[in-house]
Amino acid sequence: MWIPERWLSSECIAAALGHPPHALGIPLLRDRTLDRFLARAHPALPALLYLPLAIGMFVHALHRGAGWSTVLVGFLAGWLAFSLAEYVVHRVYFHRPVGATRSARIDAFLTHGYHHAYLHDRTRLVMPPMVSVPLAAVLALALLPLFGTLGAALYAGVLVGHV
């Protein structure tokens, strides 16, 4: 399990084990402050976080000497790669068969089950910062050194795909 159970709220554990409290939404984390700022996100947050970075990466690629066509192809390739990866992860990982163990059920609930149990919780419609920020950082650390200037254009496309 990627979050220790002792950090999870009792409501979250109950929901993961098949007894979701009847509410619009429930806290995932025991610490309500951490839950509010790390496990929830306003639907506009990805745009606020990642669009300025995407624009910066796009401009960076242009200023580093890549031509418009190269930057545009890299950007579109990043956007397409994100869309394909998002579909595959959603289809294969998020809707995987869930094991019978307590840990497997909690893990499945945390990764995607909440989305199905609490469809109308607007604070959980987008990936929360505790997941999206580290993923964005790892992706930048992979794409930029590997592909150089083209990596900046690819990364910009991935970020816009996420938004």
Side-chain angles (χ1 to χ4, degrees), residues 17 97-105:
L17 299 177
V98 177
T101 67
R102 177 183 178 94
S103 179
R105 292 175 68 191

Side-chain angles (χ1 to χ4, degrees), residues 54-128:
I55 292 166
M57 288 289 112
F58 192 90
V59 170
H60 174 73
L62 286 173
H63 283 274
R64 297 289 291 184
W68 269 99
S69 60
T70 302
V71 173
L72 191 56
V73 167
F75 176 82
L76 293 174
W79 195 340
L80 180 64
F82 177 83
S83 297
L84 179 61
E86 181 183 35
Y87 172 78
V88 169
V89 167
H90 186 261
R91 178 70 180 93
V92 174
Y93 180 67
F94 288 165
H95 288 273
R96 69 194 180 279
V98 177
T101 67
R102 177 183 178 94
S103 179
R105 292 175 68 191
I106 292 172
D107 183 54
F109 182 79
L110 289 174
T111 55
H112 195 61
Y114 188 100
H115 164 72
H116 290 282
Y118 298 100
L119 292 171
H120 302 292
D121 185 350
R122 292 182 42 85
T123 65
R124 309 241 196 231
L125 293 175
V126 298
M127 194 179 296

Side-chain angles (χ1 to χ4, degrees), residues 3 7 17 30 37 41 77 81 98 102 119 135 143-144 154-155:
I3 297 179
W7 294 1
L17 299 177
R30 185 172 298 211
F37 290 106
V98 177
R102 177 183 178 94
L119 292 171
L135 281 175
L143 288 176
L144 298 174
L154 287 165
Y155 189 54

